[in-house]
Amino acid sequence: MFPFLFVVLLSLSWRTNASALPVQEFLHCLCLRSQNSSIAKLVYTQNNSSYSSVLKSAAQNFRFTTPSTPTPLAIVTPLHASHIQAAVYCCRKHGLQVRTRSGGHDFEGLSYTSAYKVPFVVIDLVNLRSVRVNVEKATAWVESGATVGELYDEIARKSKTLGFPAGICPTLGVGGHLSGGGYGLLFRKYGLGADNVIDARLIDVKGRILDKKSMGEDLFWAIRGGGGGTFGIVLAWKLKLVAVPANVTVFTVRKTLEQNATKLVHRWQSIAHKFPKEMYPSIAIARVNSSEDEEKMTIQASFTSVFLGSIEELIPLMEEKFPQLGIVKEDCFEMSWAESNLCATQCPIGVSLETLLERSQKSVLSKTFFKAKSDYVKQLIPESAFQGLWPKFYEDGAKFASMVFVAFGGKMEEISETESPYPHRAGNLYSILYVVDWEEEENKTLNKFMSWMRRVYNYMTPYVSKSPREAYSNYRDLDIEANKINNDKESYAEARVWGLKNFKNNFDRLVHIKTKVDSQNFFRHE
């Protein structure tokens, strides 16, 4: 009798007048639908003293934590699937949109806010983060609210020779990361994280819990790279773990313009995609103080690689493939694969593996104010284009700007672009991530930084992929991919413009699947 009495009392206290607020109706519906009073403790409304801290707890881009940012009517932090089912049902019933948050790394904040002033509810999966590793079968079940750091830590505890090809930032939420494809240190050897998903548990628009068999081939294809928050809410993923050596080798070599960086970058782009699959080559470019004159600025290119092998194997390989870089043994460090993920995020050598579990840690793309964009490069960029690019890094808006090049090739050349929604496979030399960030006190002049980013992106137009100019859906960018609200008549034509950039010819198949499984477009965002 208690749950029924609880609902009656709660409904009396909420319905102080005939026209209840949407949040009150939503809460009343939740308690009725769940038939369990405990769900009230898992919901934070704007009247709750913990609301703000819960909302900001997983917000990675502080650009979307300002007073002017639209906020949810409520945040639901489910403990099990039935809570999500109830929330989905009640949002549908009361005309509320849903935002699903796993790690909060959505570049445009769309997992916890809205670019439009529409009533919405955040379903935060922070409590659904279990990781179960089966070493004998080389598989793992991981819930969507877990971070990749928590996944890597659990794999490392169980095995020194198993890994998983997902991203390098430990605070990435597994749910959103895999939903958009997910690449990291092992992708040239084993493909994307989404390529190595072998089953999943999904709550669809009708509240059903579906696995790979019951959801069917099309929907299972779509959720592995078709974009988070689009087809339902994935509760958990079954992953195929991959073989890694007990020790891998990591190096970072930094070169400035005065140390021939331009020619080295130009040379790297012609050979990096041809390196063995066992190597993850990247370059980070930013401005720094000159070592010759600290009052003078220069451009620095940081060449980083993670190699699935020993130092003794790596040195002769680099001497053969890229002697101009001058790699020596002292530049290299051996460590476990799990540790290499921390090293790749610029953590100090030898940092504790427990750092993987720190959800609040700050990295290049978390816990800061930033804007990012992406590109794919299919033809060599002329040396003169780089020389024209460097002066832009001396501009006022580029104080904390960077570009990251990640070499493709390897396994990515072998997987068909229709194998999953993520199409950027064969023919790509490397990808580019552009990032500019700034301090809180500078946020009042954020247009300066946004403008810098857009100018650099425009400058790069002749040198990157064309027809369409491709983009990575996990690097969300509303400059190129925003849908107009309540414009269903033209939404397909508008969406196809950015859809082709993210998914190329896979976009039409995604639209077909979306129409079939969610014809009313309940799971939607900008």
Side-chain angles (χ1 to χ4, degrees):
M1 289 294 291
F2 177 76
F4 175 76
L5 180 60
F6 177 87
V7 168
V8 170
L9 292 174
L10 220 53
S11 65
L12 288 174
S13 64
W14 285 338
R15 294 179 179 274
T16 55
N17 55 56
S19 56
L21 294 171
V23 66
Q24 295 170 331
E25 293 180 338
F26 172 73
L27 292 170
H28 181 64
C29 175
L30 270 185
C31 284
L32 288 173
R33 188 70 181 176
S34 66
Q35 297 184 339
N36 191 326
S37 62
S38 66
I39 197 169
K41 300 176 182 178
L42 306 174
V43 182
Y44 300 85
T45 68
Q46 295 176 355
N47 293 325
N48 189 296
S49 60
S50 299
Y51 173 87
S52 181
S53 62
V54 172
L55 178 62
K56 295 180 180 180
S57 63
Q60 304 294 344
N61 191 343
F62 286 172
R63 185 156 59 98
F64 304 106
T65 59
T66 64
S68 62
T69 303
T71 54
L73 294 178
I75 307 165
V76 183
T77 57
L79 291 174
H80 45 76
S82 65
H83 295 152
I84 300 177
Q85 290 169 306
V88 167
Y89 172 86
C90 293
C91 282
R92 287 184 66 197
K93 181 177 180 179
H94 293 287
L96 305 175
Q97 290 193 15
V98 165
R99 298 291 186 271
T100 307
R101 182 165 76 175
S102 52
H105 271 267
D106 189 299
F107 281 12
E108 298 285 10
L110 298 184
S111 62
Y112 51 92
T113 185
S114 170
Y116 308 120
K117 293 183 178 180
V118 296
F120 68 101
V121 169
V122 167
I123 299 178
D124 192 326
L125 305 178
V126 63
N127 295 321
L128 299 174
R129 52 203 275 195
S130 72
V131 181
R132 293 182 286 117
V133 174
N134 187 320
V135 174
E136 291 71 26
K137 294 183 178 179
T139 61
W141 270 104
V142 54
E143 289 185 312
S144 283
T147 63
V148 296
E150 290 167 341
L151 171 63
Y152 295 165
D153 178 75
E154 187 62 22
I155 294 172
R157 290 175 186 274
K158 297 292 178 64
S159 171
K160 303 300 181 186
T161 56
L162 287 175
F164 185 72
I168 60 174
C169 185
T171 54
L172 282 169
V174 166
H177 185 56
L178 295 182
S179 293
Y183 67 78
L185 298 181
L186 300 177
F187 87 119
R188 297 184 72 251
K189 176 73 172 178
Y190 295 111
L192 306 175
D195 294 330
N196 292 273
V197 171
I198 54 179
D199 202 349
R201 296 178 67 235
L202 168 85
I203 293 181
D204 72 355
V205 69
K206 297 178 181 178
R208 300 174 299 182
I209 299 178
L210 308 174
D211 61 8
K212 177 182 178 180
K213 182 178 180 180
S214 56
M215 75 176 73
E217 178 183 341
D218 277 353
L219 185 51
F220 185 64
W221 176 86
I223 65 174
R224 294 176 296 122
T230 303
F231 301 95
I233 299 175
V234 180
L235 293 169
W237 311 77
K238 186 177 184 181
L239 312 177
K240 177 178 67 178
L241 304 184
V242 300
V244 294
N247 284 301
V248 304
T249 301
V250 179
F251 73 78
T252 297
V253 173
R254 297 174 176 87
K255 299 290 185 180
T256 63
L257 295 185
E258 295 75 16
Q259 297 168 320
N260 218 22
T262 304
K263 289 190 179 297
L264 290 171
V265 170
H266 186 261
R267 175 62 179 160
W268 177 93
Q269 66 171 347
S270 66
I271 59 175
H273 65 288
K274 300 176 184 176
F275 281 151
K277 297 177 183 178
E278 290 74 23
M279 183 173 287
Y280 172 90
S282 66
I283 307 176
I285 295 169
R287 88 183 192 196
V288 296
N289 290 324
S290 172
S291 58
E292 299 173 0
D293 180 358
E294 290 194 2
E295 294 184 1
K296 180 184 176 184
M297 304 303 295
T298 188
I299 305 301
Q300 178 177 271
S302 299
F303 296 82
T304 297
S305 282
V306 177
F307 175 65
L308 303 180
S310 66
I311 295 176
E312 286 69 25
E313 294 171 293
L314 175 63
I315 295 298
L317 173 64
M318 292 301 294
E319 288 175 345
E320 175 192 354
K321 303 290 186 182
F322 198 10
Q324 298 89 341
L325 194 58
I327 294 291
V328 295
K329 188 173 183 179
E330 289 70 26
D331 296 320
C332 305
F333 299 89
E334 289 188 0
M335 62 190 71
S336 71
W337 165 77
E339 291 171 321
S340 73
N341 283 276
L342 289 171
C343 190
T345 57
Q346 301 178 0
C347 286
I349 299 294
V351 69
S352 169
L353 262 184
E354 291 184 356
T355 307
L356 289 169
L357 302 177
E358 294 178 7
R359 281 183 166 245
S360 61
Q361 70 170 286
K362 182 177 179 179
S363 68
V364 177
L365 286 176
S366 66
K367 306 301 181 184
T368 186
F369 295 80
F370 72 89
K371 173 64 180 178
K373 289 179 175 290
S374 62
D375 262 320
Y376 290 88
V377 178
K378 300 179 184 294
Q379 296 181 329
L380 298 181
I381 296 178
E383 194 172 319
S384 60
F386 290 123
Q387 292 168 342
L389 175 65
W390 305 149
K392 299 185 184 303
F393 279 86
Y394 298 127
E395 296 175 10
D396 190 35
K399 182 169 60 172
F400 299 115
S402 62
M403 291 172 63
V404 180
F405 299 171
V406 175
F408 270 53
K411 183 71 171 179
M412 295 298 281
E413 289 282 334
E414 302 169 9
I415 302 175
S416 166
E417 67 177 39
T418 61
E419 182 70 21
S420 77
Y422 180 97
H424 317 290
R425 308 283 188 167
N428 289 300
L429 303 181
Y430 57 98
S431 65
I432 301 178
L433 169 63
Y434 310 85
V435 182
V436 60
D437 59 88
W438 55 92
E439 303 292 344
E440 182 174 6
E441 59 270 20
E442 298 174 304
N443 198 49
K444 59 182 177 293
T445 60
L446 70 87
N447 285 337
K448 172 176 66 176
F449 306 103
M450 302 286 278
S451 175
W452 181 89
M453 171 64 72
R454 290 161 183 157
R455 290 199 309 276
V456 169
Y457 187 73
N458 288 337
Y459 172 84
M460 293 296 291
T461 302
Y463 311 113
V464 297
S465 60
K466 300 173 180 64
S467 300
R469 182 174 184 175
E470 298 172 30
Y472 180 28
S473 64
N474 264 355
Y475 294 162
R476 193 102 67 189
D477 178 11
L478 289 183
D479 284 353
I480 66 170
E481 55 181 323
N483 290 323
K484 292 181 180 177
I485 189 170
N486 296 330
N487 191 17
D488 293 338
K489 183 178 179 181
E490 298 180 10
S491 61
Y492 170 75
E494 292 171 351
R496 198 169 193 274
V497 174
W498 61 258
L500 292 178
K501 294 175 183 289
N502 284 336
F503 306 111
K504 297 175 69 174
N505 292 330
N506 292 333
F507 178 71
D508 285 334
R509 183 179 176 187
L510 287 169
V511 170
H512 173 76
I513 296 166
K514 172 71 171 176
T515 304
K516 184 168 64 173
V517 303
D518 183 14
S519 61
Q520 298 303 309
N521 197 23
F522 170 71
F523 289 110
R524 69 185 186 274
H525 48 63
E526 289 74 1

